[in-house]
Amino acid sequence: ASSVLHPNVCEILDLGEESGVLFIAMEWIDGEGLARIMKPGPEPHPLGDRVAAKIISDACAGLHAAHQLTHDDGRRMRLVHCDVSTQNLMVSRSGAVKVIDWGVAKALHSVRYDGLVMSMEGKAAYMSPEQASGKRASALSDVFALGICLYEITTGRRPFSAGSREATIEQLLSGEFPKPSELRPDYPPRLEQIVLRAMAHNPVHRYPSADRMRSALGDYLKISGPIITDTDVAAIVAERVGPLIDQRRAYIGKVLGKA
């Protein structure tokens, strides 16, 4: 994952060991997680459809870059994030989207997925059906999770959330969830088509790559209104979590001043 160099991926600057402790040094992102941006208070506050599409489109670009990563000899690494969620998509104060937390990412040529479900404690709501059933994950598993993220930030609800981890996995494996338009009658039909294709139970029926999903979102944005820019996304970040980011920045400055 440290080899992925893309504007929409949190850069890993260094890996090492100090006094017997492994460490990872990552790019600092002056922003907040998408989960917090969508829920700045006690209740979820869905994002506007077009801003949400822009954010997920940028996340698609970052993940596609990771999926295309190759070894020095040109062989594909077949890297998969395996933990895409609204918690692991950060948005900076300038509106830049960054995919973070590659802690459980897998290179499929060398790692089997037996027992992966047990390693994903707390993230059952974002698993793909193949991950939840213990089968081998793929780039299309990340596409499924992107669909879940898009669903959540536009409806304010997770498609799979049944109260307990086991019940959520059972619901996910059934493939049954309410369509976005069942929660929001005004949900844009074209955006719903994108969500439902990304979340197809069978990977064969999903977008064949994160880049194809990004292209579909781009087409939706083109026909649905004015161009959405990073500045538009930044305005949402400032409105919802600007004070929180300011507090964190002030605290860091205070700590560094004492160092």
Side-chain angles (χ1 to χ4, degrees):
S2 62
S3 301
V4 183
L5 299 176
H6 190 276
N8 297 118
V9 174
C10 180
E11 185 177 358
I12 297 176
L13 303 174
D14 195 15
L15 301 164
E17 182 178 346
E18 179 66 30
S19 302
V21 177
L22 297 174
F23 72 84
I24 178 171
M26 295 180 289
E27 168 191 7
W28 170 254
I29 301 171
D30 188 25
E32 189 53 76
L34 187 54
R36 186 64 179 270
I37 294 169
M38 192 203 70
K39 192 176 180 182
E43 298 297 327
H45 186 183
L47 301 179
D49 297 326
R50 303 185 72 249
V51 168
K54 170 71 164 70
I55 290 172
I56 299 303
S57 174
D58 288 349
C60 286
L63 283 165
H64 183 68
H67 297 158
Q68 296 299 306
L69 198 65
T70 62
H71 295 281
D72 291 339
D73 60 7
R75 289 182 299 117
R76 287 271 297 279
M77 286 188 184
R78 300 175 67 197
L79 185 68
V80 184
H81 189 287
C82 294
D83 196 16
V84 176
S85 66
T86 55
Q87 293 89 344
N88 288 339
L89 299 179
M90 286 197 70
V91 187
S92 76
R93 191 161 210 159
S94 64
V97 177
K98 300 277 187 175
V99 182
I100 68 167
D101 198 353
W102 296 79
V104 297
K106 306 293 182 183
L108 297 184
H109 69 283
S110 61
V111 180
R112 292 194 59 80
Y113 278 77
D114 301 329
L116 177 62
V117 173
M118 298 306 295
S119 73
M120 297 282 286
E121 189 68 40
K123 293 295 184 67
Y126 297 93
M127 287 185 192
S128 65
E130 55 271 22
Q131 284 175 284
S133 61
K135 296 178 182 177
R136 188 180 292 271
S138 72
L140 301 188
S141 304
D142 287 346
V143 168
F144 187 90
L146 285 168
I148 291 179
C149 291
L150 181 56
Y151 182 111
E152 180 181 355
I153 65 176
T154 51
T155 67
R157 283 181 50 181
R158 292 176 179 174
F160 306 109
S161 184
S164 71
R165 186 171 184 276
E166 292 73 19
T168 296
I169 290 176
E170 184 176 345
Q171 182 187 25
L172 194 157
L173 291 175
S174 76
E176 297 180 0
F177 61 92
K179 294 180 179 179
S181 59
E182 294 175 23
L183 304 177
R184 274 186 49 202
D186 65 336
Y187 203 90
R190 192 174 184 115
L191 188 61
E192 181 171 75
Q193 291 173 3
I194 294 171
V195 171
L196 296 181
R197 182 172 179 185
M199 292 179 59
H201 196 269
N202 187 332
V204 173
H205 299 145
R206 295 175 203 158
Y207 289 102
S209 68
D211 190 57
R212 288 287 294 275
M213 183 177 176
R214 181 198 62 77
S215 179
L217 287 166
D219 290 342
Y220 161 72
L221 287 169
K222 287 177 184 177
I223 68 170
S224 59
I227 295 174
I228 298 291
T229 66
D230 287 354
T231 302
D232 298 310
V233 177
I236 298 295
V237 174
E239 174 189 343
R240 297 194 174 197
V241 293
L244 178 64
I245 297 173
D246 288 339
Q247 290 174 8
R248 184 185 300 123
R249 181 184 289 177
Y251 176 77
I252 292 172
K254 182 178 180 181
V255 172
L256 291 176
K258 293 180 178 178

